[in-house]
């Protein structure tokens, strides 16, 4: 998504008119249904004034493109400023500018890390050159259009409030500065020259539109990339807080851990890159000859990683790299240089198979010089989970270890959608958030009325890459358990008779490798075989342990299978302290479904055995924000403007007409159609002007500027030269190739010749498409066809 996209001249006008921040905020509200903090609005106003002074140069074409706040696909990271156009060789180019308002910078000993004033204190953060380069690399990595169409990306950084270049240009950062030069307050001319070096001609091919609507390559899967990473290749580009956590851990291991025990707690929600950073640390520490192991209580990630590495390195080396959390009882203090504990929230107090075991958190800290705990307390899903920050702090203090806390926020799962994650939290009523709807989220969430239909949808998605699976709450007994003497291996475990749905739990054949096994799409997994791993699509079946009544989410641990070890201890505590038992069980059940619903990178398919619960989630998924009134879709599909009744004297004052061009018969006249149209109110900063109207553009022939089905604002034809403008035209000689209509929206070009009276007339009119797909040809009007031609309106903007 691009929050702001205009040509350079319009950008200059918006800055000089002091409305640039208002237009950016308007689009945030329109597209995302939310606002931003006052300090971010102020930063737009401030930074864009500096950028206006840089680009307001006649050598930078007026029709160069300016895009602000471009959201990088599959992440929640945004690029501050992009200038698009063609370079001296007519290569499509996008210059990425990372803007910073820093006034002071300090160097650090960490790669690509600086210190500056952030969030009320002086903190470490990425060097802006590294940040700009990493964003460009991410776009190129994820966007197939950028690669196939050879769109050049040129990153740089601009610190317009920084007067001293000493720290930001320190030689220790030269590797990153070479990739993305950094400019300070005194470097306006240098930045201007940098931009002109790559944007010589205007953006006539809608570069940012092609990038924004380009084919997105799916996120890489950590397990699939593991072999390459172990061999030392860079598979995952760490950005922002991921890079900071990675460099901090290396610094602690290399410079601090020899003198005193160190503990690093890294918090992060689903898809924030905890496991990616953990594996990168494992590889780097091992390369540095540090005795290091990756630790996970959950067997599934270890088994999947081991299976991926099989054949590339020896089994002994695999076993030395990946360990269970119960492996450290009685280990000599400080034996390991570094222990990297993924999914640390799943640690338990005591290993019941080892009488000497006391507490896994204590044992891990004791056994290492540096213990890195990756944690998400919202994914504690069993009664015995103890991996909280408080628990880690307690044992660190007892063992004399220094503790540092950090957070991961850069989102890669769920298409980079923090909005979806917040919506799940709100929907299951784990915690109230500002995301009661899914508006503005780029994530497929679909509720099914039949589990058989959900299963078929998952099977269909699995054909693409074997990365779609079904999971369920543990509300059905494992009757096919091969470990039991009286079992029936052919029995169906999960039976929903009213729908004719039957399936087996996954553990019988594939165990912890269910998530990657070839035929396991027909089985149903549980929390124990998918936590810490990721798929493209997840199908979630909710049992009777979570239901909704009158809008309230209610949990009942008694509805869990008696075979479910995750709530072992519930009944005992229920007798001792009923309120505490119910509260803990409520959290575990909600955490379980939240975790299941966030295993998919692209989408989540949902079914509940309880009809009222299913209806609740379907209503929540289809809800829209009251801040964005929509016209009923059966009348005007996709329109996001308010339809209003206005008296005659308010027409073109508080509303303009919405015209059904496709229904207009014969010759078009704006006046004759006003009585049969609806009136709509425009959002700020658009004005309701005489002759302006809204109409829908259908088809792909203009998709570089106007998406299929977009509702657009048009203004009356002003006369004069129309060359290069996008116009809505009507002619009895036109038949639009997509709609068959005598109306079409195209880019206008004309040729003129002198007439007998010393004036001029049109000899030919050419209406050209602007499409990135298909083979749409020009529409040419010549001779007497020109006489029947009429411009209905000139395109202003997509609404």
């Amino acid at each position: 998504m691009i929050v702001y996209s205009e040509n350079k001249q319009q950008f200059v006008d918006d800055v000089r008119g002091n409305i640039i921040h208002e237009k950016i905020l308007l689009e945030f509200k329109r597209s995302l249904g939310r606002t931003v903090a006052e300090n971010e609005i102020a930063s737009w106003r401030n930074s864009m004034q500096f950028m206006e002074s840089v680009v307001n140069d006649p050598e930078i074409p007026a029709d160069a493109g300016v895009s602000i706040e471009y959201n990088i696909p599959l992440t929640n990271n945004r690029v501050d400023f992009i200038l698009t156009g063609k370079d001296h060789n007519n290569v499509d180019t996008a210059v990425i500018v990372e803007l910073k308002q820093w006034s002071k910078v300090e160097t650090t000993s960490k790669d690509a890390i600086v210190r500056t004033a952030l969030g009320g204190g002086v903190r470490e953060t990425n060097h802006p050159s590294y940040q700009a380069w990493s964003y460009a690399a991410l776009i190129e990595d994820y966007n197939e259009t950028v690669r196939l169409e050879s769109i050049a990306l040129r990153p740089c950084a601009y610190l317009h409030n920084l007067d001293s270049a000493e720290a930001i240009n320190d030689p220790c950062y030269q590797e990153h500065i070479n990739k993305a030069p950094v400019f300070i307050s005194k470097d306006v001319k240098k930045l201007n020259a940098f931009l002109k070096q790559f944007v010589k001609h205007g953006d006539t091919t809608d570069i940012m539109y092609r990038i924004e609507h380009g084919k997105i390559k799916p996120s890489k899967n950590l397990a699939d990339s593991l072999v390459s990473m172990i061999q030392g290749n860079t598979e995952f580009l760490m950005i922002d807080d991921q890079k900071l956590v990675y460099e901090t851990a290396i610094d602690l291991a290399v410079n601090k851990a020899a003198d005193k025990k160190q503990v690093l707690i890294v918090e992060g929600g689903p898809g924030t890159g905890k496991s990616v950073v953990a594996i990168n640390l494992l590889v780097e520490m091992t390369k540095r000859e540090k005795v290091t192991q990756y630790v996970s209580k959950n067997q599934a990630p270890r088994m999947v990683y081991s299976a991926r590495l099989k054949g590339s390195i020896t089994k002994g080396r695999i076993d030395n790299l990946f360990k269970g959390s119960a492996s450290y009882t009685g280990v000599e203090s400080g034996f390991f240089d570094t222990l990297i504990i993924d999914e640390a929230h799943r640690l338990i107090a005591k290993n019941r198979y080892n009488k000497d075991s006391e507490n896994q958190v204590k044992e891990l800290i004791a056994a290492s010089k540096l213990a890195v705990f990756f944690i998400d307390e919202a994914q504690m899903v069993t009664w015995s989970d103890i991996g909280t920050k408080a628990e880690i702090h307690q044992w660190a203090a007892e063992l004399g270890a220094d503790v540092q806390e950090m957070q991961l926020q850069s989102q890669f799962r769920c298409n980079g959608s923090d909005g979806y994650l917040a919506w799940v939290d709100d929907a299951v009523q784990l915690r109230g958030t500002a995301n009661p709807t899914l508006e503005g989220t780029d994530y497929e969430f679909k509720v099914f009325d039949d589990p058989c239909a959900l299963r078929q949808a998952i099977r269909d998605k699995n054909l693409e890459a074997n990365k779609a699976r079904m999971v369920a709450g543990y509300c059905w007994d494992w009757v096919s358990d091969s470990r039991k003497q009286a079992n029936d291996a052919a029995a169906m475990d999960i039976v929903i008779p009213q729908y004719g749905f039957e399936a087996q739990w996954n553990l019988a054949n594939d165990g912890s490798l269910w998530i990657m096994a070839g035929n396991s799409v027909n089985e149903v997994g549980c929390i124990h075989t998918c936590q810490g791993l990721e798929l493209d699509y997840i199908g979630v079946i909710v049992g009777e342990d979570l239901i909704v009544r009158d809008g309230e989410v209610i949990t009942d641990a008694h509805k869990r299978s008696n075979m479910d070890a995750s709530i072992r201890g519930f009944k005992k505590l229920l007798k001792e302290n009923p309120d505490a038992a119910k509260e803990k069980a409520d959290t575990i059940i909600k955490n379980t479904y939240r975790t299941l619903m966030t295993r998919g990178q692209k989408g989540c398919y949902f079914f509940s055995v309880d009809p009222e619960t299913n209806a609740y989630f379907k209503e929540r998924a289809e809800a829209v924000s009251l801040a964005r009134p929509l016209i009923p879709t059966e009348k005007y599909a996709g329109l996001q403007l308010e339809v209003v009744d206005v008296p005659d004297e308010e027409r073109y004052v508080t509303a303009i007409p919405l015209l059904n061009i496709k229904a207009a018969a014969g010759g078009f006249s704006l006046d004759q159609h006003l009585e049969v149209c609806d009136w709509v109110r425009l959002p700020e900063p658009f004005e309701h002007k005489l002759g302006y109207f809204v109409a829908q553009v259908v088809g792909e022939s203009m998709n570089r500027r106007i998406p299929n089905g977009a509702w657009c604002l048009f203004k009356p034809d002003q006369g004069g030269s129309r060359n290069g403008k996008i116009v809505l035209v009507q002619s009895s000689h036109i038949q639009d190739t997509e709609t068959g209509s005598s109306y079409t929206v195209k880019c206008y070009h004309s040729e003129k010749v002198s007439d007998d009276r010393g004036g001029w007339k049109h000899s030919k009119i050419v209406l050209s498409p602007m499409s990135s797909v298909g083979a749409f040809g020009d529409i040419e009007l010549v001779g007497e066809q020109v006489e029947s031609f009429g411009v209905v309106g000139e395109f202003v903007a997509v609404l």
Side-chain angles (χ1 to χ4, degrees):
M1 186 198 77
I2 302 172
V3 171
Y4 176 96
S5 184
E6 295 286 359
N7 61 36
K8 186 206 82 172
Q9 188 56 56
Q10 185 61 56
F11 167 72
V12 169
D13 292 344
D14 288 341
V15 174
R16 290 189 168 186
N18 199 28
I19 62 170
I20 184 67
H21 58 292
E22 295 175 356
K23 293 184 76 169
I24 298 173
L25 180 60
L26 168 68
E27 186 60 23
F28 250 97
K29 292 179 179 178
R30 189 190 72 81
S31 299
L32 302 178
R34 63 180 176 86
T35 186
V36 298
E38 287 293 331
N39 62 340
E40 187 163 3
I41 298 172
S43 73
W44 290 332
R45 187 201 298 254
N46 185 30
S47 293
M48 296 312 152
Q49 289 175 350
F50 285 96
M51 283 309 302
E52 185 271 335
S53 67
V54 173
V55 303
N56 193 12
D57 180 324
E59 293 185 43
I60 296 179
D63 59 348
V66 170
S67 298
I68 299 171
E69 299 288 357
Y70 167 64
N71 195 93
I72 301 173
L74 304 177
T75 78
N76 62 353
N77 299 91
R78 304 197 304 267
V79 178
D80 294 328
F81 189 96
I82 302 178
L83 184 72
T84 52
K86 295 178 182 294
D87 66 11
H88 294 75
N89 297 315
N90 282 319
V91 174
D92 289 343
T93 302
V95 182
I96 292 171
V97 185
E98 178 64 27
L99 296 169
K100 299 296 184 187
Q101 301 199 64
W102 306 345
S103 58
K104 291 183 180 180
V105 176
E106 301 172 9
T107 60
T108 74
S109 59
K110 302 174 186 176
D111 179 54
I113 304 298
V114 298
R115 286 171 57 84
T116 190
L118 289 173
V122 177
R123 306 179 191 280
E124 293 183 341
T125 188
N126 288 180
H127 189 286
S129 289
Y130 177 88
Q131 189 174 359
W133 168 80
S134 66
Y135 285 178
L138 273 178
I139 295 171
E140 186 170 5
D141 190 25
Y142 286 141
N143 195 304
E144 196 167 71
T145 298
V146 171
R147 298 191 304 276
L148 294 182
E149 298 184 12
S150 299
I151 299 173
L153 304 179
R154 306 293 184 181
C156 68
Y158 183 28
L159 285 64
H160 49 73
N161 293 333
L162 184 66
D163 295 329
S164 172
E166 183 178 354
I168 204 69
N169 278 316
D170 189 274
C172 70
Y173 302 122
Q174 195 60 50
E175 174 190 353
H176 308 292
I177 296 170
N178 290 341
K179 296 177 181 177
V182 59
F183 304 95
I184 65 170
S185 61
K186 304 170 185 176
D187 295 333
V188 173
K189 291 183 178 180
K190 291 181 181 179
L191 175 57
N192 174 266
F194 181 82
L195 298 179
K196 290 191 291 187
Q197 179 184 353
F198 298 111
V199 180
K200 174 68 174 177
H201 308 289
D203 184 354
T204 57
T205 53
D206 296 284
I207 296 167
M208 278 311 299
Y209 184 89
R210 287 153 55 203
I211 292 176
E212 183 182 22
H213 294 84
K215 184 176 180 181
I216 302 303
K217 176 184 172 183
S219 290
K220 293 178 180 178
N221 184 282
L222 178 60
D224 293 344
S225 303
L226 196 60
V227 173
S228 181
M229 294 172 71
I230 293 292
Q231 292 171 347
N233 298 315
T234 303
E235 283 289 319
F236 288 87
L237 184 69
M238 290 179 288
I239 62 171
D240 295 350
D241 41 22
Q242 297 165 346
K243 175 69 169 173
L244 182 57
V245 167
Y246 174 81
E247 293 297 336
T248 299
I250 291 175
D251 180 65
L252 290 174
V254 173
N255 299 320
K256 304 285 179 63
D259 300 324
K260 188 178 183 182
K261 279 185 181 294
Q262 301 291 324
V263 169
L264 178 60
I265 302 173
V266 183
E267 284 188 279
T272 50
K274 296 189 300 296
S275 295
V276 167
V277 177
I279 295 297
N280 271 289
L281 280 173
L282 174 66
V283 172
E284 181 62 24
M285 296 296 191
T286 303
K287 282 170 57 179
R288 293 180 181 233
E289 299 183 344
K290 299 288 184 182
V291 182
T292 306
Q293 289 183 339
Y294 168 98
V295 182
S296 171
K297 175 185 179 293
N298 194 359
Q299 186 182 38
R302 303 197 313 272
M303 294 293 290
V304 169
Y305 297 160
S306 296
R308 286 286 188 249
L309 288 170
K310 188 176 181 180
S312 61
I313 61 176
T314 63
K315 184 180 184 302
R317 188 178 174 208
I318 293 173
D319 291 343
N320 277 332
L321 289 174
F322 301 95
K323 290 289 187 180
S325 57
S327 305
Y328 301 91
T329 303
V331 173
E332 176 187 343
S333 179
F335 177 84
F336 293 94
D337 292 310
T338 305
L339 290 178
I340 301 163
I341 305 98
D342 206 359
E343 305 288 322
H345 40 270
R346 295 298 314 277
L347 296 173
I348 61 175
K350 188 173 183 178
N351 177 11
R352 57 179 175 160
Y353 301 107
N354 187 332
K355 61 180 179 64
D356 296 323
S357 176
E358 181 181 357
N359 182 289
Q360 290 186 351
V361 173
K362 176 185 179 182
E363 291 163 0
L364 288 162
I365 296 174
S368 62
K369 297 181 179 72
L370 167 64
V372 184
F373 292 92
F374 290 90
I375 189 171
D376 179 8
E377 293 183 9
Q379 291 192 56
M380 300 177 71
V381 295
T382 77
W383 207 260
S384 56
D385 291 349
I386 63 160
T388 64
K389 290 194 298 179
E391 185 82 11
I392 297 170
H393 273 283
Q394 174 190 331
W395 289 111
E398 185 166 319
L399 295 170
D402 289 340
V403 181
Q404 185 170 341
E405 291 189 35
M406 302 185 75
Q407 286 192 325
L408 287 173
Q409 295 178 335
S410 298
Q411 173 60 240
F412 278 86
R413 184 170 291 149
C414 305
N415 263 9
S417 179
D418 284 333
Y420 172 69
L421 299 177
W423 178 84
V424 171
D425 285 347
D426 195 80
V428 301
Q429 295 175 7
L430 255 174
R431 58 191 63 81
T433 72
N435 284 74
T437 78
L438 285 172
E439 281 188 281
T441 60
D442 183 19
Y443 188 78
E444 184 181 3
F445 180 84
K446 185 176 180 180
V447 177
F448 287 78
D449 295 322
D450 184 333
C452 296
L454 180 148
R455 174 164 54 190
Q456 187 57 50
I458 288 296
R459 285 172 174 168
D460 292 343
K461 289 295 185 183
N462 192 60
L463 294 174
E464 299 173 9
N466 190 33
K467 294 189 187 303
R469 293 293 185 275
M470 290 184 295
V471 292
Y474 206 159
C475 297
W476 292 268
D477 288 347
W478 186 12
V479 296
S480 63
D481 185 354
S482 59
R483 298 172 302 178
K484 296 184 180 299
Q485 292 183 348
N487 83 300
D488 178 0
M492 292 293 112
D493 301 308
I494 302 171
V495 179
I496 310 176
Q498 61 269 40
Y499 298 98
F501 180 89
E502 295 182 342
Q504 286 190 322
W505 286 115
N506 64 283
L507 291 170
N509 298 317
D510 304 310
S512 295
L513 296 179
W514 154 85
I515 205 164
M516 59 181 286
N519 198 42
S520 62
V521 68
N522 296 309
E523 301 171 343
V524 179
C526 67
I527 188 66
H528 307 299
T529 49
C530 72
Q531 191 173 19
L533 297 169
E534 57 199 12
L535 293 155
D536 284 349
Y537 288 89
I538 195 76
V540 180
I541 298 175
V542 179
E544 293 181 340
D545 58 339
L546 185 146
I547 62 172
V548 178
R549 292 294 179 265
D550 298 324
E552 181 184 357
V553 177
I554 301 169
T555 60
D556 184 355
H558 293 97
K559 299 296 184 181
R560 285 282 185 98
S561 166
N562 289 329
M563 303 174 74
D564 180 15
S566 66
I567 57 168
R568 187 175 291 139
F570 166 67
K571 292 180 179 179
K572 181 175 183 294
L573 184 60
L574 189 65
K575 295 177 181 178
E576 301 169 354
N577 190 334
D579 290 340
K582 291 176 182 177
E583 181 179 356
K584 185 172 182 177
D586 180 76
T587 299
I588 288 173
I589 293 170
K590 289 178 177 178
N591 279 352
T592 298
Y593 283 115
R594 176 201 191 248
T595 302
L596 295 178
M597 291 169 69
T598 55
R599 293 305 91 190
Q601 293 178 310
K602 296 181 179 179
C604 172
Y605 295 163
F606 180 98
F607 170 79
S608 171
V609 297
D610 177 67
E612 185 173 338
T613 303
N614 224 42
Y616 164 83
F617 277 93
K618 181 178 290 187
E619 182 180 354
R620 289 296 304 265
E622 296 173 352
V624 295
S625 169
L626 295 176
R628 296 173 59 190
L630 301 183
I631 297 175
T633 55
E634 64 271 14
K635 187 173 183 181
Y636 298 123
L639 181 65
Q640 299 180 6
L641 298 175
E642 183 183 5
V643 175
V644 294
D645 293 323
V646 291
D648 292 347
E649 62 272 17
E650 290 295 315
R651 291 180 174 183
Y652 296 112
V653 177
T654 60
I656 62 171
L658 182 146
L659 302 179
N660 186 354
I661 298 295
K662 291 179 292 185
F668 179 85
S669 165
L670 183 59
D671 292 337
Q672 78 184 60
H673 286 88
L674 289 185
E675 300 307 319
V676 294
C677 67
D678 285 314
W679 291 76
V680 292
R681 183 164 290 142
L682 297 175
E684 295 179 357
F686 298 112
E687 299 180 17
H688 303 91
K689 295 182 178 180
L690 184 64
Y692 279 58
F693 62 92
V694 173
Q696 187 178 32
V697 177
V698 177
E700 299 287 351
S701 67
M702 292 296 291
N703 67 22
R704 285 183 175 172
R705 289 293 299 275
I706 305 174
N708 184 11
W711 292 89
C712 301
L713 177 64
F714 292 88
K715 66 181 180 180
D717 179 38
Q718 304 294 317
S721 175
R722 306 185 186 104
N723 277 328
K725 295 181 178 179
I726 297 175
V727 292
L728 169 63
V729 299
Q730 178 194 22
S731 172
S732 58
H733 294 282
I734 291 175
Q735 184 172 11
D736 188 276
T737 56
E738 291 185 285
T739 65
S741 170
S742 61
Y743 296 90
T744 190
V745 176
K746 295 290 184 289
C747 187
Y748 178 97
H749 303 277
S750 68
E751 296 178 7
K752 299 174 183 178
V753 296
S754 299
D755 60 20
D756 297 337
R757 294 170 293 181
W760 57 266
K761 64 179 181 180
H762 291 293
S763 62
K764 182 167 70 172
I765 292 174
V766 180
L767 303 172
S768 302
M770 300 174 66
S771 178
S772 60
V773 298
F776 299 102
D778 292 343
I779 298 174
E780 293 190 3
L781 302 173
V782 295
E784 65 180 25
Q785 294 177 341
V786 173
E787 302 302 322
S788 67
F789 166 85
V791 175
V792 178
E794 179 186 330
F795 169 76
V796 177
V798 172
L799 296 173

